[in-house]
Amino acid sequence: MTNSIPEIRDTELMFVIGSNTTEAHPIIAMEMKRAVRNGSKLIVADPRKIWLAEIADLHLQLRPGTDVALLTAMAHVIIAEGLVDEAFVANHTVDFEDVKAAVAETTPEWAETITGCPAEDIRTAARWYATTDKAGVYYTLGITEHSHGTDNVYSLANLVAMTGHLGKRSAGLNPLRGQNNVQGANDAGASPVFYPGYQRVQDPVARKRFEEAWGVPLSPHDGLNLNVMMKALNKGDIKGLYVMGEDIVISEPNCSALEVGLNDAEFVVVQDIFMNETCRFADVILPAACFAEKDGVFTNSDRRVQRVRKAVEAPGEARPDWEIICDLARACGYPMPHYSGPAEVYAEMAALTDKFSGISHERIEAEGGLQWPCPTLDHPGTPTLHQGAPLIGKVEFQGVAYRPSEELPDEEYPLVLSTGRTLYHYNAATQTRRASGPMAKQPVNFVEMHRKDARRRGLNDGEVVTVRSRRGAIEATVAVSPRMRRGCVWMPLHFPESNTNRLTNDAGDPVTATAEYKVCAVQIDGIAR
Amino acid sequence: MSDTIRLVVDGEEVEVPTGSTLLAATARAGADVPTLCHDPRLDPMGSCRMCLVEVEGQRRLQPACAYPAMEGQVVHTSTDRVERHRQVLLSMYCADHTLDADGLPAERALGNQLRAHVEAFGTGPTLPPIGTPRAGREDPNPYIHFDPDSCIACARCVRYCDEVEAVSAITLAMRGSSTTIATADQVGLLDSSCELCGGCIDTCPTGAMSEKRALGLLGADEETVRSTCNFCGVGCQLDLHVRDGEVVRVSSPPPGTTVNDGNLCVKGRFATEFINHPDRLTVPLIRGDDGELHEATWDEAIRVTAAGLMGVKERYGADALGFVSSSRCTGEENYLVQKLSRAAFGTNNCHQCAAT
């Protein structure tokens, strides 16, 4: 997030797109509800009539995968109606001409034919967003989990930059991060292209810095990102896999292909707190401590580095992941230091970066969470990014053009499936499937569908059906829902016995390779009993 | 209109933003005005009468939580009249509350503000118990317990459910001394619009709303450890309550102190059963030649893991290895996995599920 969670309550307009905030980020949603109570406008763009759409001033119920059409049409309106923040564009951006050219023809009427949203609503959204001072964009995986996810993000960034909604409180471009420490994992360099602190592995200066610190030569080539790594496993290019704290069989798309790859791999290690689906393929399983049993830091959505503290002992012989990793490195012949604890590990990382070099366990202990960039020990941290000017100097506009999702509905598979998370469960759900409240609320997998799509197939609410795509078939319970668009269905991903990722498409974004969890074609059939 | 106003509280001049309440002004002056129905996340209700103070020029005592601070006001927070009012009011509350053997409002859950006020200010004449039965309800939900006899009908839970969580699952029902907290048609919370956030437990001043699993346990007997939630990316701060080596409940730090402003969701507050779950992996396992998993020592497991990964590297090169790190684990652990991948094995094939 460019801005901070506590700033949301003072905002004047929220543009929430591709985020079912009340379920995926309930506490951020509470801030949004408070903002609406305080008079903020709310625009929701989502194929489903999600909870926030109920209190929104405007709900753009677009077809899944048509975000670029919607957003370029909004840009078209802002430019055509002279609502551009000319001063911001002149002082802080380059290549505005590219966007102007790209959106010259993307009228709201054109976008209506693609998105299904009325042209007048698109105009209204563009006008409200451009003419409100404190207007923030909030998005999550509904934007990124597409074969054109990068284009979606570029389109949003274009809107933010052309209206100058950057570098001020209660505005900005705010991806709400999905996991407790997905920000921190990237920050720490668990990335095929970045060392800690977003230093490129291809940058010789950065590489030298880490080679000197770690005392070994390092590979100059970018590694494989997760989706590509999973495909490489299937092709036999990856032969050995170490998996810490993720059930990839549940979480990754097109899991049947992944299972073939895992089965063919020569060596698989799983390090986790529960036996999970990926463990079926493991040669070694290492029992780990959970968050309540170890020390360290998590970095949240608004770049806030906060402490995790050990409250109880890990069960049996389970050990904190950091200790296991250090032992393993030493067993492989690498002289990993004998760290006294996570504080010392953090200090080693902070010293190798510029963004976090002012952060330490000691400071967090004394001052509470710190938001990076925080370059020096007396720096207070940065709640709002880009104040004064963009951090990278100039914002580069990106002209992007709409292209359809990889797999569109047809006669054989006429429904568009989107997938996601619910309030009551969490991802692979090893934790929440063992919680009594979530199990009382949502015990089994379901498929949300429009009443007319159900009726056409002779299906009733609560009936168990088969959902099938080109990649697999699973059973789930029909949930007829007023939230759905006709022709669209939605399923959660939390149920190993009915793994929704048997259906999803592993087509990836060309830049990030993030998979298209949000759009694939399926058919739903009743089951003869 | 000026941005700030000045007034005098207990003889001390204070300056507060225009639009502040007297409660904010008295807090600024360092005066400790007791409250029950006040929660900074909620609109003022002024119903409990605990925070009444004397405002010069006003015939009646005024509720500090709801009364606007005004330029030139002179306010007294602890005159004889105010003290007398508090004692009589507390007597009235005690006449309609579960008392312990010492005649004090019973200690419950994470504390009872009513009891703390009685201890701080004393009571006036002992009034006969009211004893009107209040309707409770059978509620099979696994988390939230409601004890009508400890409820003071301040409606903080109802207002929280409406104003903050905005699901309006609970409501005030009945009248007078029968007033209680109910759901529509008294259905259980699982069948209502409740999302099990437990904010009602958090805001309840007397512990009438409490946590089923920790029922009867007193917060005073628990060690609390401040940590960060392990579910989504909001970064809510949690206080893990530990008793006999187990996390028995989770509460939020007070409003206004952390990013979650006193709020938690169903997962953060309640979904901790996994920590002590019997399914936890407790010993390293190695797959034998028979295809089955066998228990092993850590030494064996680390040795076999190292040999397996190094073997792949020797046969196919380092880039035939992949390291899946975890956005659920700590920053330090992610740092160490990428260091393991890059420095110990020599490959940049290291990633985690980062799509946003």
Side-chain angles (χ1 to χ4, degrees):
Chain A
M1 292 171 74
T2 59
N3 291 59
S4 290
I5 295 164
E7 295 174 26
I8 296 174
R9 67 185 65 170
D10 299 320
T11 191
E12 294 164 350
L13 182 144
M14 295 171 286
F15 180 27
V16 178
I17 179 164
S19 161
N20 183 10
T21 323
T22 56
E23 299 206 47
H25 299 88
I27 303 303
I28 288 179
M30 284 190 190
E31 289 289 345
M32 291 177 170
K33 293 168 185 174
R34 165 152 43 188
V36 169
R37 270 172 60 81
N38 290 345
S40 169
K41 273 205 165 67
L42 173 62
I43 304 170
V44 172
D46 199 291
R48 287 190 301 163
K49 194 173 184 189
I50 54 173
W51 195 99
L52 280 182
E54 303 280 346
I55 61 165
D57 296 273
L58 184 60
H59 177 208
L60 301 161
Q61 196 167 8
L62 75 173
R63 295 192 181 105
T66 62
D67 310 77
V68 170
L70 171 70
L71 298 171
T72 51
M74 286 176 66
H76 175 94
V77 173
I78 289 167
I79 293 170
E81 301 192 2
L83 305 176
V84 171
D85 183 338
E86 299 288 355
F88 187 91
V89 169
N91 294 330
H92 300 305
T93 72
V94 293
D95 300 338
F96 187 44
E97 294 307 316
D98 289 359
V99 171
K100 267 189 167 168
V103 305
E105 307 291 328
T106 61
T107 63
E109 283 71 21
W110 164 81
E112 178 174 335
T113 63
I114 293 170
T115 63
C117 301
E120 215 35 52
D121 285 355
I122 298 173
R123 283 204 172 81
T124 302
R127 287 172 192 149
W128 283 354
Y129 176 69
T131 58
T132 305
D133 179 39
K134 290 184 193 163
V137 174
Y138 303 87
Y139 72 89
T140 178
L141 300 174
I143 281 295
T144 52
E145 286 180 349
H146 288 280
S147 56
H148 47 264
T150 303
D151 288 348
N152 285 348
V153 176
Y154 282 155
S155 304
L156 283 171
N158 289 344
L159 285 181
V160 173
M162 74 175 64
T163 53
H165 285 135
L166 192 67
K168 55 173 119 173
R169 273 181 60 82
S170 306
L173 182 61
N174 300 291
L176 311 179
R177 317 256 8 199
Q179 285 91 5
N180 54 324
N181 196 36
V182 64
Q183 183 70 53
N186 282 299
D187 296 348
S191 154
V193 296
F194 293 120
Y195 296 122
Y198 302 96
Q199 303 172 74
R200 288 206 168 267
V201 299
Q202 291 198 1
D203 173 8
V205 178
R207 193 163 59 246
K208 187 154 178 288
R209 188 179 195 179
F210 284 92
E211 285 177 339
E212 282 173 5
W214 295 343
V216 286
L218 297 174
S219 165
H221 311 294
D222 282 352
L224 306 179
N225 63 44
L226 190 58
N227 191 13
V228 177
M229 204 190 287
M230 297 301 107
K231 287 177 180 164
L233 198 62
N234 184 267
K235 280 194 291 186
D237 295 339
I238 293 278
K239 303 280 189 193
L241 198 67
Y242 169 91
V243 186
M244 172 176 82
E246 186 188 340
D247 189 353
I248 53 175
V249 171
I250 296 290
S251 307
E252 297 304 309
N254 190 8
C255 68
S256 303
L258 172 56
E259 284 176 338
V260 171
L262 282 168
N263 208 30
D264 291 346
E266 295 189 10
F267 194 73
V268 176
V269 193
V270 172
Q271 181 171 313
D272 216 305
I273 65 172
F274 285 108
M275 195 65 87
N276 62 32
E277 292 297 298
T278 310
C279 289
R280 288 190 278 125
F281 304 94
D283 295 284
V284 181
I285 298 172
L286 305 173
C290 79
F291 85 110
E293 298 152 355
K294 62 189 177 184
D295 287 295
V297 296
F298 291 160
T299 306
N300 79 344
S301 261
D302 66 8
R303 299 164 278 106
R304 197 181 302 259
V305 185
Q306 304 187 112
R307 277 297 312 277
V308 180
R309 294 184 181 86
K310 179 175 173 174
V312 293
E313 295 295 332
E317 296 176 33
R319 299 172 66 201
D321 295 275
W322 68 270
E323 288 185 21
I324 304 171
I325 302 160
C326 289
D327 276 1
L328 178 58
R330 287 189 283 265
C332 295
Y334 178 75
M336 194 72 99
H338 288 270
Y339 300 105
S340 58
E344 195 181 342
V345 179
Y346 196 89
E348 176 179 311
M349 174 173 79
L352 288 164
T353 66
D354 304 322
K355 291 184 170 64
F356 333 118
S357 38
I359 300 179
S360 67
H361 278 223
E362 292 74 21
R363 264 195 86 184
I364 299 172
E365 209 64 52
E367 301 171 42
L370 284 163
Q371 290 173 277
W372 65 259
C374 180
T376 57
L377 284 173
D378 55 1
H379 191 287
T382 311
T384 309
L385 288 180
H386 311 297
Q387 278 189 313
L391 287 171
I392 56 165
K394 301 274 187 189
V395 177
E396 292 173 26
F397 279 104
Q398 308 280 344
V400 294
Y402 166 73
R403 62 196 155 81
S405 304
E406 289 283 324
E407 187 179 76
L408 297 174
D410 54 22
E411 278 187 15
E412 198 179 350
Y413 297 99
L415 298 167
V416 177
L417 170 69
S418 303
T419 67
R421 186 192 293 168
T422 72
L423 172 65
Y424 296 103
H425 288 291
Y426 188 84
N427 292 12
T430 45
Q431 297 179 356
T432 52
R433 291 290 298 280
R434 293 178 169 90
S436 44
M439 286 312 282
K441 279 284 192 179
Q442 278 175 353
V444 295
N445 201 3
F446 59 90
V447 52
E448 257 188 299
M449 60 194 300
H450 192 279
R451 65 188 164 84
K452 290 188 175 173
D453 289 326
R455 201 163 60 193
R456 251 187 86 179
R457 290 166 176 77
L459 304 176
N460 295 310
D461 189 62
E463 181 174 343
V464 177
V465 293
T466 303
V467 187
R468 55 188 169 86
S469 76
R470 288 185 174 80
R471 292 155 295 277
I474 58 172
E475 292 189 2
T477 305
V478 170
V480 171
S481 166
R483 307 204 291 185
M484 299 308 299
R485 272 185 73 95
R486 255 188 109 168
C488 298
V489 297
W490 187 93
M491 297 182 78
L493 49 77
H494 309 303
F495 300 90
E497 69 282 2
S498 166
N499 185 350
T500 302
N501 279 321
R502 293 214 182 277
L503 309 173
T504 49
N505 190 356
D506 54 0
D509 178 271
V511 179
T512 64
T514 296
E516 195 146 57
Y517 291 93
K518 299 301 185 193
V519 180
C520 75
V522 298
Q523 176 59 299
I524 296 181
D525 310 305
I527 298 173
R529 299 281 182 203
Chain B
M1 205 164 72
S2 160
D3 285 349
T4 60
I5 47 179
R6 280 176 303 178
L7 65 161
V8 176
V9 177
D10 294 340
E12 186 190 335
E13 186 170 286
V14 291
E15 193 168 346
V16 292
T18 306
S20 298
T21 62
L22 273 188
L23 191 64
T26 55
R28 179 69 59 90
D32 194 9
V33 174
T35 61
L36 286 171
C37 73
H38 172 74
D39 182 317
R41 295 165 292 185
L42 307 175
D43 291 344
M45 182 151 170
S47 70
C48 76
R49 315 317 279 172
M50 196 67 231
C51 68
L52 296 199
V53 293
E54 211 170 331
V55 181
E56 287 191 13
Q58 292 289 322
R59 195 165 56 83
R60 293 179 168 175
L61 299 178
Q62 296 295 341
C65 71
Y67 201 81
M70 285 181 275
E71 182 71 33
Q73 257 170 348
V74 180
V75 182
H76 304 282
T77 67
S78 62
T79 61
D80 286 350
R81 190 180 166 202
V82 170
E83 297 291 340
R84 225 170 28 248
H85 158 75
R86 286 177 186 162
Q87 291 183 347
V88 172
L89 180 71
L90 288 168
S91 288
M92 292 161 71
Y93 275 121
C94 284
D96 197 16
H97 200 84
T98 308
L99 305 179
D100 65 11
D102 300 327
L104 290 168
E107 188 69 273
R108 292 180 60 83
L110 298 179
N112 184 341
Q113 279 180 29
L114 184 61
R115 181 188 174 98
H117 291 337
V118 169
E119 286 175 331
F121 302 106
T123 51
T126 304
L127 303 174
I130 292 175
T132 310
R134 287 204 181 92
R137 62 175 185 280
E138 285 296 309
D139 194 330
N141 88 79
Y143 297 143
I144 299 165
H145 174 78
F146 174 59
D147 171 15
D149 294 327
S150 299
C151 174
I152 56 167
C154 68
R156 271 169 70 165
C157 54
V158 172
R159 290 181 290 139
Y160 183 94
C161 196
D162 176 35
E163 296 176 26
V164 179
E165 175 73 348
V167 298
S168 303
I170 50 177
T171 180
L172 285 175
M174 308 301 281
R175 290 285 184 276
S177 55
S178 300
T179 308
T180 190
I181 311 297
T183 58
D185 297 331
Q186 288 290 55
V187 297
L189 288 174
L190 290 177
D191 297 318
S192 72
S193 56
C194 173
E195 295 182 346
L196 299 176
C197 75
C200 48
I201 295 173
D202 178 78
T203 193
C204 180
T206 63
M209 289 281 182
S210 61
E211 197 169 332
K212 276 191 180 172
R213 285 179 305 170
L215 210 57
L217 302 183
L218 297 182
D221 302 332
E222 297 160 5
E223 183 199 354
T224 62
V225 178
R226 178 70 51 89
S227 196
T228 304
C229 182
N230 96 136
F231 290 107
C232 82
V234 179
C236 294
Q237 295 297 286
L238 311 173
D239 283 336
L240 303 174
H241 294 248
V242 180
R243 199 183 175 101
D244 300 330
E246 285 192 14
V247 176
V248 291
R249 68 176 129 208
V250 175
S251 65
S252 168
T257 57
T258 64
V259 68
N260 40 315
D261 197 22
N263 306 311
L264 290 173
C265 76
V266 54
K267 296 191 287 285
R269 191 184 303 277
F270 294 122
T272 52
E273 286 147 286
F274 76 89
I275 298 173
N276 294 317
H277 201 281
D279 292 349
R280 283 287 299 273
L281 292 169
T282 57
V283 62
L285 300 169
I286 298 175
R287 197 174 298 279
D289 294 334
D290 57 359
E292 299 298 317
L293 291 163
H294 300 279
E295 293 191 357
T297 64
W298 270 108
D299 278 350
E300 283 173 296
I302 293 287
R303 200 169 58 239
V304 170
T305 304
L309 295 173
M310 292 303 282
V312 170
K313 178 180 171 176
E314 279 155 23
R315 289 191 296 277
Y316 307 101
D319 287 336
L321 288 169
F323 290 81
V324 181
S325 193
S326 177
S327 50
R328 306 298 306 283
C329 291
T330 65
E332 293 84 353
E333 286 158 352
N334 277 281
Y335 172 80
L336 290 171
V337 169
Q338 59 92 37
K339 187 174 174 182
L340 174 77
S341 161
R342 293 183 162 121
F345 288 96
T347 177
N348 287 316
N349 290 345
C350 174
H351 205 196
Q352 29 74 44
C353 49
T356 20

